[in-house]
Amino acid sequence: SDVYKRQHQDGHSWPVRAADLDRVQAWLADKVDPECWGECREEQEQEQEALEAIYDERFSVVCARQWKLTLGEPSEHKWSQPRITFSLSKSYPLLEAPAFTLDGFNKRTADQLTAVLQECADDCIGAAAVFAITSAADEWLLDHPLDEASPNDPLTSVALGRAEDATVAEDADVAEEAAVAEDILRATLAAQGEVNLRVPDSEVHRGGGTWKYCVGLVGKPSAGKSTFFNALCGSDAASVAAHPFTTIEPNYGTGFFSVPEIGVSYGIEQPGCEYGRNSEGDRKLPLLIKDVAGLVPGAWQGKGRGNAFLNDLVDADVLLHIVDSSGTTDEGGNALNNPGDLGGHDPLTDIDWVHTELHRWIFANVHHKWEGIKRHPDRLPGMFSGYHANKSLIRAVFRRAGLDPDNLAVVSSWQEPDLHALVAHFLTVRFPVMLVLNKADLPSAAPNVDRIQAAHSNSRVVCAAAERQVQRWSGEGLVSYVEGQPSLGEPSSEMDETSRVEFERIKQHVFDAWGGTGVLKVVSEAVALRPPVLAYPVCDLSTLKFGSKDELPLSRCMILKPGSTVYDLYESMRRLSSARDMGEYVRAECVHPGMSHQVLKKDELLAPQNCVIRVMTNKKVSWQAHPGKK
């Protein structure tokens, strides 16, 4: 053979000439397992769906495995805008980077940009790369003008003058953004620091009734939101991949939070529980989990379809901001290959800009109609109703911000900082946030965690991927595990060697280092930011059972909005499948921890001291029958 080879001491060899390398690559591509092609095709389809959602009209499909993206903001003259065309092989993204060509550039600029993008592409082998390459191109173009004519050319002088004007305008924009950021920071610190102005829960939720509690997951791409979602729901319903924007449409699932068991206060050794318990014996209760797509800086302006993703959050009662505490992904969610000991990206900056995006999302919606509001200040409360905020909550927020909701004349003289202050109060009350410091088991996380927790008391350590892996092992009978468990015992002898290595890593870097995965705990603490009222309906105040004689005491627990009354509980019970034929309300009584009874008024507010209740109606149904009788 005429192929030049480099011989290694262990007998391995590899061609060194480019032509020979190409021949080897072609041979390998031909021998790739067709099953791998299927996996690659699935990855390409998912990436195409994400790119269509993110870039909208900037993205187009030329043909099978060929995509075209317009660089920069869309204009009326698409044909004159720079473009990048991607050609994908059958083995992209698992084995190869995408090939690409640039259009609309002069040769020098094209060569410079190609070198930058090729380096980015090479770093992304094994993961979806088109978003990362396009983002790198957009960022490069911001710093490199395309016009390379001679500065002595008269026409170029005009162009340079325009460029100088643009630079001045850009500097002004930067200064304005800095001023806005300062206004938001000042308003946020003031709103969050008003601990003595906590809005009573009964005011926020006046009206009462069943609460279908919803927790929203927010954060940048690739922070681990979908992994956290899967860990909390105990399934793999949400797609997880090592590239940004794996999630486009929201994922919905049922998760759980835990509350202390009240049975002990009533002398019950073994109270019932519909949904199980955590490792400490606390009662688990269900809630809705909503995993929305990742945000990028500028989301409030629509970047990365950010407005749509933010609007997906309006029905969340609290937010969990999933933070990549390891610092191994940039603000766009792209993996950093050499993050260094302290991580290549500061997660504290992610916390700041995500909060800013949430604030500016609400601020921009109100400010858009500000001139009309200044003429008619009474319209201001209505601007906040679109965030699933009822009138009582809005009025409570206005009072918290120092406004009389019945006399808003002062709004006519407001400046932007005044509106920022009101938005900060609204955001604090309507969307409480718990920071979830995910990926804490990675080596670069610990120093970041210390800095974040020193700056933010509402932050908790979580290892979502570890929680989900231990759940899988538990389902296979390889480990014994209950949610919230602070330590791991020995694995089954049937666990294979690869899994055993991962088990030891999780045990050392998660359970020994942090005392558990933290998933259930952080959700429970988030719910405590806007706690529901819990009511325990029973049909017998002596046994505290709900229905069947075989049922354990205090088995049922209903989740209600603060401000709920005894009659609200009755209305919620009527919606139960076992009580659809329930008669009209007659009266109610509760039992206290000392087992003393008390008759309750129809409009009496529910609270911990009267939460175990028997509601009597004029028609007996199965749930109401005495547990000892048929």
Side-chain angles (χ1 to χ4, degrees), residues 202-319:
S202 58
E203 290 191 31
V204 173
H205 298 285
R206 187 170 296 163
T210 302
W211 196 352
K212 297 179 180 178
Y213 208 101
C214 178
V215 173
L217 309 184
V218 67
K220 72 179 185 181
S222 300
K225 294 186 304 302
S226 295
T227 302
F228 183 91
F229 174 90
N230 288 340
L232 189 57
C233 297
S235 70
D236 292 314
S239 298
V240 177
H243 59 77
F245 296 104
T246 308
T247 300
I248 298 299
E249 296 300 322
N251 293 307
Y252 294 88
T254 299
F256 296 90
F257 67 103
S258 60
V259 296
E261 177 54 62
I262 69 163
V264 178
S265 302
Y266 289 83
I268 299 174
E269 294 183 0
Q270 191 179 5
C273 185
E274 285 185 85
Y275 303 100
R277 303 185 182 280
N278 67 6
S279 61
E280 297 179 356
D282 293 336
R283 182 184 296 249
K284 288 166 57 180
L285 295 171
L287 45 66
L288 178 66
I289 302 296
K290 191 173 187 180
D291 168 32
V292 306
L295 303 177
V296 296
W300 69 276
Q301 296 172 305
K303 184 175 181 182
R305 274 194 71 197
N307 264 326
F309 299 157
L310 285 165
N311 290 336
D312 287 334
L313 295 171
V314 295
D315 54 355
D317 296 299
V318 295
L319 300 178

Side-chain angles (χ1 to χ4, degrees), residues 191-203:
Q192 294 179 349
E194 297 288 1
V195 292
N196 296 324
L197 294 180
R198 175 179 171 83
V199 176
D201 293 327
S202 58
E203 290 191 31

Side-chain angles (χ1 to χ4, degrees), residues 234-236 466-483 492 494-495:
S235 70
D236 292 314
E467 170 72 20
R468 184 67 193 111
Q469 182 58 64
V470 174
Q471 289 174 0
R472 293 190 193 99
W473 286 332
S474 178
E476 296 167 2
L478 299 177
V479 297
S480 176
Y481 181 68
V482 178
E483 286 175 286
S492 167
E494 297 180 4
M495 180 178 283

Side-chain angles (χ1 to χ4, degrees), residues 477-480 488-495 500 503-504 507:
L478 299 177
V479 297
S480 176
L488 280 180
E490 290 302 313
S492 167
S493 58
E494 297 180 4
M495 180 178 283
R500 193 172 289 271
F503 174 89
E504 291 299 330
K507 183 176 181 181

Side-chain angles (χ1 to χ4, degrees), residues 483-535:
E483 286 175 286
Q485 196 169 300
S487 60
L488 280 180
E490 290 302 313
S492 167
S493 58
E494 297 180 4
M495 180 178 283
D496 62 55
E497 190 59 33
T498 301
S499 297
R500 193 172 289 271
V501 170
E502 178 63 7
F503 174 89
E504 291 299 330
R505 188 197 72 81
I506 290 176
K507 183 176 181 181
Q508 177 182 354
H509 295 290
V510 177
F511 288 87
D512 294 347
W514 301 110
T517 67
V519 172
L520 180 61
K521 183 178 180 181
V522 74
V523 176
S524 303
E525 292 193 33
V527 171
L529 296 175
R530 290 186 74 185
V533 165
L534 305 179

